[in-house]
Amino acid sequence: MATYGAVLRRSAAVVERARAHARSTRKALARFARPQSFAAPPDAEAAAVRAVRNLATFRLYYTLLLWVLLLASLFPRRRAAMLFLMAASKVALFYGALLKAFPTSALLRRVIDRRLVVALALAVILIELALTRSLPQLLLAVGIGLPIILLHAVFRVRDDLLEDGDEKAATVGGAGELASVLEKKEDLELGSQ
């Protein structure tokens, strides 16, 4: 009987962790394109800093945007290239799943570096696109996606900037309490219960 309780508690923890991950993903997607999160940068230096920071923060979303645009451009005529692109992306996703499943694995973290896997996947995809004569579709997808990405990266404002009133509350009430209150406020704004 004791093993059943341990299994139930462990599975409940897994379910709760999955719910929290899904909730944070939904929040991140909602924050990604929230209209009040955009403003013109005051000068060129601020625009460059903002772009570099946002490129690092939203690199997964930017990659997904380029991937979807490439798939859409390949769909009408280049189905074989599209299927190969999807297969190559499944291999990269499998590596990401292995990193999630085994977070302390020295083999996955140090020996097989993430940058090496990304570089190899990108090289294989580019070679495949060149062999199937699909480079014009790649250039079209990059030509459409890159300006969108750069505009988003330059005009997207940080979410974690505190206003003057919030800074005073943080010094008086403690940063932990403020963070939990702000998170609850964002939950209510996004419509979660």
Side-chain angles (χ1 to χ4, degrees):
M1 286 286 192
T3 59
Y4 291 127
V7 171
L8 287 177
R9 275 186 249 123
R10 191 174 304 140
S11 65
V14 168
V15 168
E16 185 59 36
R17 212 171 337 139
R19 284 183 183 161
H21 181 68
R23 193 176 309 119
S24 68
T25 302
R26 185 176 51 84
K27 285 181 189 178
L29 283 173
R31 287 184 193 139
F32 181 69
R34 199 172 17 180
Q36 59 264 33
S37 296
F38 291 93
D43 58 0
E45 183 180 352
V49 168
R50 194 184 286 181
V52 169
R53 185 191 60 241
N54 285 336
L55 286 172
T57 302
F58 297 116
R59 66 179 175 247
L60 176 64
Y61 300 112
Y62 295 151
T63 304
L64 286 175
L65 175 69
L66 288 175
W67 183 78
V68 166
L69 288 172
L70 181 58
L71 279 178
S73 68
L74 290 173
F75 178 67
R77 296 186 185 157
R78 308 274 188 206
R79 290 190 183 184
M82 182 184 71
L83 292 174
F84 189 82
L85 177 67
M86 291 174 70
S89 64
K90 295 294 181 195
V91 171
L93 287 174
F94 179 69
Y95 177 72
L98 283 176
L99 283 176
K100 282 282 195 185
F102 304 107
T104 59
S105 172
L107 176 69
L108 292 175
R109 295 281 178 184
R110 291 183 184 89
V111 177
I112 306 173
D113 190 34
R114 188 179 342 181
R115 287 172 270 172
L116 175 67
V117 172
V118 169
L120 285 175
L122 188 61
V124 167
I125 289 171
L126 288 176
I127 290 170
E128 181 271 330
L129 289 174
L131 290 176
T132 59
R133 296 186 181 111
S134 300
L135 287 179
Q137 284 81 9
L138 173 68
L139 294 176
L140 176 71
V142 170
I144 292 171
L146 213 54
I148 294 170
I149 289 170
L150 288 176
L151 283 173
H152 184 273
V154 168
F155 288 103
R156 178 68 162 80
V157 181
R158 285 175 47 177
D159 285 333
D160 59 350
L161 291 177
L162 296 175
E163 297 175 7
D164 293 340
D166 293 339
E167 289 177 3
K168 292 175 187 172
T171 57
V172 173
E177 294 173 10
L178 177 66
S180 64
V181 169
L182 289 176
E183 185 175 339
K184 296 280 185 188
K185 179 184 172 193
E186 289 174 0
D187 284 343
L188 290 173
E189 289 174 354
L190 295 175
S192 64
Q193 303 290 329

